[in-house]
Amino acid sequence: MMNLRDTLIGQVIPVGDLLKKNKEKREKVEALIPKDRDEYIVGDDIMKEIMGRRRARFAEAKTNKMTHYEERFGMKFSELESFAENSDMAELAYRKAIKEGKIKGDFAGEDMSFPIASADDVRRAWASIGRTKQDPDKVMRKIIKIAKKFNWESGLPQTVKDRLKAGKSGLPE
């Protein structure tokens, strides 16, 4: 006759086997915990052990991540680091895809600044012109040129669209 403790509701595997497996796992973990000769756990040693393992895992994860970035973006880590100070890695992948032609679009500014790959990017680029250290008129002209080239004029402000309809350059006067 089976005991109720031998199985869980809706479970085919007897609980006894699960309990044995869990006990073995606990014993393995407990064997890693430093203890003194009276089998008492030594707190300072445990924290050193835990933090040492954590540091080792973190260092390994960081190395793996950097290797992944180098493979994915085709740049050395030092180049990625200098770029990453100003932006994140997703932004780098986006800019790289535009540069390589995987995504249709272009850059309105120098050094891959003001990436434009949609009408929404046109809107964002136009809104951020005031923060650039580059020549704003030059950047605005380039944004308008890219918007016309890819038919993304819907991202331009209404005042610019009105100026373009009137046959003007579209730049503020």
Side-chain angles (χ1 to χ4, degrees):
M1 180 167 189
M2 268 181 107
N3 192 340
L4 287 177
R5 292 186 320 191
D6 291 339
T7 59
L8 295 174
I9 297 172
Q11 190 172 12
V12 180
I13 302 170
V15 175
D17 292 343
L18 290 175
L19 293 175
K20 286 177 190 174
K21 288 179 185 176
N22 287 341
K23 185 177 179 183
E24 290 170 3
K25 287 180 186 176
R26 277 194 310 274
E27 288 172 352
K28 287 179 182 177
V29 171
E30 287 176 4
L32 298 173
I33 299 173
K35 298 176 182 162
D36 65 7
R37 64 186 180 135
D38 297 326
E39 292 297 314
Y40 289 107
I41 297 172
V42 182
D44 294 338
D45 294 340
I46 288 176
M47 288 313 294
K48 287 178 186 174
E49 180 74 20
I50 290 171
M51 297 310 287
R53 289 181 186 179
R54 185 175 180 204
R55 276 188 227 96
R57 282 193 314 270
F58 180 74
E60 184 181 350
K62 185 176 180 182
T63 303
N64 291 341
K65 188 175 186 180
M66 294 309 126
T67 304
H68 168 73
Y69 284 153
E70 287 178 18
E71 290 171 0
R72 182 174 173 193
F73 301 118
M75 299 173 87
K76 296 290 181 205
F77 179 65
S78 57
E79 296 168 342
L80 283 170
E81 245 181 347
S82 64
F83 188 86
E85 288 174 6
N86 300 323
S87 63
D88 58 22
M89 291 302 153
E91 180 74 13
L92 176 61
Y94 180 66
R95 289 171 192 255
K96 184 179 177 189
I98 293 172
K99 186 176 181 181
E100 292 176 350
K102 293 178 183 174
I103 299 174
K104 70 176 185 175
D106 202 353
F107 299 97
E110 302 165 359
D111 299 326
M112 291 179 22
S113 62
F114 293 96
I116 299 175
S118 69
D120 199 42
D121 287 343
V122 170
R123 181 188 56 76
R124 282 192 213 110
W126 194 272
S128 64
I129 287 175
R131 296 189 297 267
T132 186
K133 294 178 183 170
Q134 302 172 30
D135 179 22
D137 289 338
K138 186 177 177 183
V139 175
M140 285 190 275
R141 277 191 206 94
K142 184 75 176 196
I143 292 172
I144 293 170
K145 181 180 173 185
I146 294 168
K148 284 181 175 179
K149 179 180 177 183
F150 294 105
N151 198 22
W152 293 328
E153 286 129 336
S154 62
L156 292 170
Q158 188 60 44
T159 55
V160 175
K161 290 185 222 176
D162 294 341
R163 283 187 225 124
L164 288 172
K165 276 186 186 176
K168 297 179 183 175
S169 69
L171 295 176
E173 293 149 0

